[in-house]
Amino acid sequence: MKIIVPMAGRGSRLRPHSLTVPKPLIPVAGQPIVHRLVKDIVKVLNQPIEEIAFVLGDPAWFGDDVVSSLQDLAKSLNAKASIYRQDQPLGTGHAIMCAEPSLSGPAVIAYADTLIRANFDLDTEADAVIWTKQVDKPEAFGVVKLNDKNEIIELVEKPKTFVSDLAVIGIYYFKDVAVLKNELQKVLDNNIKNGGEYQINDGIKGMMANGNVFKTGTVDEWMDCGNKPVTIETNARMLGFLHADGNENLIAATVTNNNSTIIEPCFIGEHVVLNNATIGPYVSIGNNCKIEASTVKNSLIQTHTTIKNANLDDAMIGNHVSYDGHFTKISIGDYSVLE
């Protein structure tokens, strides 16, 4: 089994945080989004992964540190890491085709801006499986249309009348991903574009037209990381799941707690110093941070950051930040927001 992960986009909706860190590598509940996504997919598949292929953007943005992080992730899962580049933002179908040498045999394709919680048996006899989530407002999503055999026969984008309540979440299984590759090659050769880009859906439609059988796999939880509010919400939900599971140590042994209160669930990384602070619930704090005389809840703070005299709620703060709630002198860069 292979996993193909297109992640070339810079994540403009998550600025300013994605100006310095590619969105898939922004940590949620203590781990980068793409790391959590891949690990959760591996759990669902419950079979050996031979290769994980990552499709990255410009090397100036997705540099050696990103490549090293992804190679370490693959190694931790006993898989080979393959690194490809998408030099132009030409859509999901084009991104997949950038990994053409890896497009053979059984594979899962997953877009790295979402997180899941799932527990289902993958139907490996189907030609393909589209992972879905049952939603309350299907008119806001792309959904699958099923026949009386519960086979997917059509993809419908934001249906005005009810088609189904199973939304497509951006994760797909192909019994032989080479079949999709052949259909996407036709899309490229015939310059078939939607929204000015080459889309995976056009390759899928070609497979359906040829009689390939598509089934659904329904996840229990689907969490977006597209912008700041939903990323904070996802961080909170993931912390809740991890705390309930009890399988991860969410508070590092190296945390220094001086007269501070931690209200779980929280993730607190290595060498964090808490002085006269109240932290939580639903807070993630990265390594080497210092929080002093502050109350922080429902927030996500990355690494090497100092917070003083603050009362934070629904906050997302990046790396190497110094924030004093009693500030009188400030130096704020591009795309920053104080509310």
Side-chain angles (χ1 to χ4, degrees):
M1 180 73 74
K2 300 176 182 177
I3 301 176
I4 315 296
V5 187
M7 49 182 288
R10 295 184 62 166
S12 59
R13 291 189 299 146
L14 203 51
R15 289 179 176 175
H17 307 282
S18 58
L19 286 171
T20 54
V21 178
K23 181 172 71 172
L25 292 181
I26 289 175
V28 168
Q31 288 190 30
I33 294 167
V34 67
H35 287 223
R36 285 208 176 275
L37 174 64
V38 170
K39 289 176 181 178
D40 286 342
I41 290 172
V42 170
K43 289 179 184 177
V44 173
L45 296 177
N46 195 28
Q47 57 183 283
I49 305 301
E50 64 180 84
E51 178 183 6
I52 306 175
F54 300 96
V55 182
L56 311 181
D58 186 344
W61 182 243
F62 293 87
D64 292 343
D65 55 337
V66 175
V67 171
S68 177
S69 168
L70 298 175
Q71 288 172 333
D72 289 345
L73 171 61
K75 184 178 180 180
S76 72
L77 297 169
N78 298 312
K80 168 191 173 184
S82 296
I83 305 297
Y84 299 98
R85 299 284 180 178
Q86 184 184 26
D87 56 2
Q88 300 179 69
L90 294 178
T92 56
H94 179 265
I96 293 165
M97 290 300 287
C98 291
E100 190 273 337
S102 296
L103 299 181
S104 62
V108 166
I109 295 174
Y111 294 98
D113 59 355
T114 191
L115 290 172
I116 61 165
R117 300 281 285 184
N119 183 19
F120 63 84
D121 293 326
L122 186 69
D123 186 351
T124 56
E125 295 303 312
D127 295 315
V129 175
I130 297 178
W131 294 21
T132 61
K133 175 70 175 74
Q134 193 170 25
V135 294
D136 293 331
K137 297 180 179 180
E139 66 274 10
F141 302 91
V143 301
V144 296
K145 182 178 181 179
L146 306 178
N147 63 13
D148 56 7
K149 299 178 182 178
N150 286 324
E151 298 170 349
I152 301 171
I153 56 173
E154 190 177 353
L155 302 176
V156 183
E157 185 65 25
K158 296 182 179 179
K160 294 181 180 180
T161 58
F162 184 81
V163 173
S164 84
D165 59 0
L166 296 177
V168 177
I169 69 170
I171 307 177
Y172 312 82
Y173 162 78
F174 297 91
K175 188 175 183 178
D176 184 1
V177 74
V179 180
L180 174 69
K181 178 185 73 173
N182 293 337
E183 293 302 323
L184 286 176
Q185 188 61 57
K186 295 176 186 176
V187 170
L188 297 179
D189 292 343
N190 293 286
N191 199 33
I192 300 171
K193 292 184 178 180
N194 279 294
E197 298 179 338
Y198 302 103
Q199 305 292 356
I200 185 176
N201 281 3
D202 290 309
I204 289 173
K205 290 175 183 177
M207 290 181 63
M208 289 180 177
N210 291 335
N212 293 109
V213 175
F214 280 72
K215 296 289 188 71
T216 61
T218 303
V219 301
D220 302 314
E221 299 287 343
W222 171 31
M223 295 162 281
D224 188 17
C225 298
N227 57 36
K228 177 248 182 182
V230 298
T231 301
I232 289 176
E233 179 185 351
T234 291
N235 179 69
R237 290 172 65 189
M238 184 59 70
L239 284 172
F241 296 139
L242 296 173
H243 182 68
D245 291 346
N247 296 325
E248 289 190 30
N249 183 15
L250 297 178
I251 299 177
T254 56
V255 171
T256 299
N257 184 334
N258 297 317
N259 194 35
S260 296
T261 301
I262 299 171
I263 305 170
E264 297 187 283
C266 289
F267 170 86
I268 304 179
E270 300 288 346
H271 305 295
V272 170
V273 177
L274 305 176
N275 291 327
N276 299 304
T278 299
I279 307 299
Y282 305 114
V283 172
S284 288
I285 302 174
N287 297 343
N288 301 296
C289 288
K290 183 176 182 179
I291 314 294
E292 183 173 323
S294 298
T295 298
V296 184
K297 61 182 178 180
N298 198 41
S299 296
L300 198 162
I301 300 169
Q302 296 190 44
T303 65
H304 298 89
T305 283
T306 298
I307 307 291
K308 296 181 179 179
N309 307 310
N311 185 1
L312 299 179
D313 187 4
D314 286 329
M316 188 168 177
I317 299 176
N319 301 284
H320 300 279
V321 172
S322 179
Y323 177 79
D324 188 329
H326 293 168
F327 63 82
T328 56
K329 298 179 181 179
I330 60 174
S331 177
I332 301 173
D334 296 345
Y335 299 101
S336 296
V337 178
L338 294 175
E339 294 179 328

